[in-house]
Amino acid sequence: MAGETTITVVGNLVDDPELRFTPAGAAVAKFRIASTPRVFDRQTNEWKDGEGLFLTCSVWRQAAENVAESLQRGMRVIVQGRLKQRSYEDREQVKRTVYEIDVEEVGPSLLRASAKVTKSASGGGQQGGQQAPGGWGAARPAQQQAPANGGWGGQQPAAAPAQQAPGYSDEPPF
């Protein structure tokens, strides 16, 4: 939608993501991230933390399930989405305003970590409820399925590369 404020935030997960389901069965995961600026103080010759920014994030559907399975408290993540402002009155009738992110994309920061990405069987290959017809985004052949460890630090021995099916490519079409 035009006029929405998109934002990208890098921060650490404050809590484990909380996965819930709507009455209609749609998955939604909520999590909070803290983004704390660091500045170098030349007088003391050390790094100092600034005031932390805490944001609540909501992610929906398959991405919500992936987040709940893959991310946990303390992980450094990159979140991109739409910034929303919401006002309410608390129990003491004090008006409060909070800022939240409706997440479009989320992933680990690889600055000081590594990750193994595992494509979801029911993930990005579906558009409008239909399976993509092959190529990028299509389901992998059975011999190429990635391990089910979630890809987040589960140390498993590397498997020998499988032969690709003719005409199959892991590369996006751009």
Side-chain angles (χ1 to χ4, degrees):
M1 201 192 276
E4 291 184 333
T5 304
T6 56
I7 185 172
T8 302
V9 179
V10 178
N12 291 36
L13 265 67
V14 176
D15 313 303
D16 287 337
E18 181 181 325
L19 181 65
R20 293 187 179 180
F21 292 87
T22 66
V28 59
K30 286 198 175 237
F31 57 93
R32 290 188 322 137
I33 60 171
S35 180
T36 307
R38 299 195 83 204
V39 292
F40 188 75
D41 186 343
R42 292 179 189 244
Q43 293 177 342
T44 61
N45 205 32
E46 60 186 26
W47 288 95
K48 298 206 177 199
D49 288 338
E51 189 171 335
L53 171 67
F54 292 82
L55 291 167
T56 299
C57 302
S58 299
V59 61
W60 290 82
R61 298 174 189 75
Q62 184 63 48
E65 294 183 43
N66 294 345
V67 162
E69 180 180 318
S70 304
L71 301 179
Q72 57 186 298
R73 181 179 187 258
M75 287 183 168
R76 190 159 185 82
V77 295
I78 303 168
V79 174
Q80 185 269 324
R82 294 176 307 278
L83 185 65
K84 302 286 182 173
Q85 175 180 319
R86 183 171 55 89
S87 297
Y88 67 96
E89 286 187 14
D90 65 12
R91 292 181 181 144
E92 290 80 32
Q93 305 304 316
V94 176
K95 188 170 184 175
R96 304 275 184 187
T97 300
V98 294
Y99 297 93
E100 301 171 331
I101 298 177
D102 286 340
V103 176
E104 293 177 5
E105 299 281 343
V106 59
S109 168
L110 301 180
L111 184 63
R112 293 185 183 90
S114 64
K116 181 172 176 141
V117 177
T118 304
K119 291 183 182 180
S120 296
S122 61
Q126 294 183 355
Q127 295 180 6
Q130 305 219 352
Q131 182 67 32
W136 187 72
R140 287 178 154 188
Q143 72 269 22
Q144 287 189 337
Q145 288 294 331
N149 68 353
W152 290 91
Q155 300 293 333
Q156 289 191 352
Q163 293 291 334
Q164 283 190 338
Y168 180 81
S169 171
D170 278 334
E171 295 300 315
F174 47 83

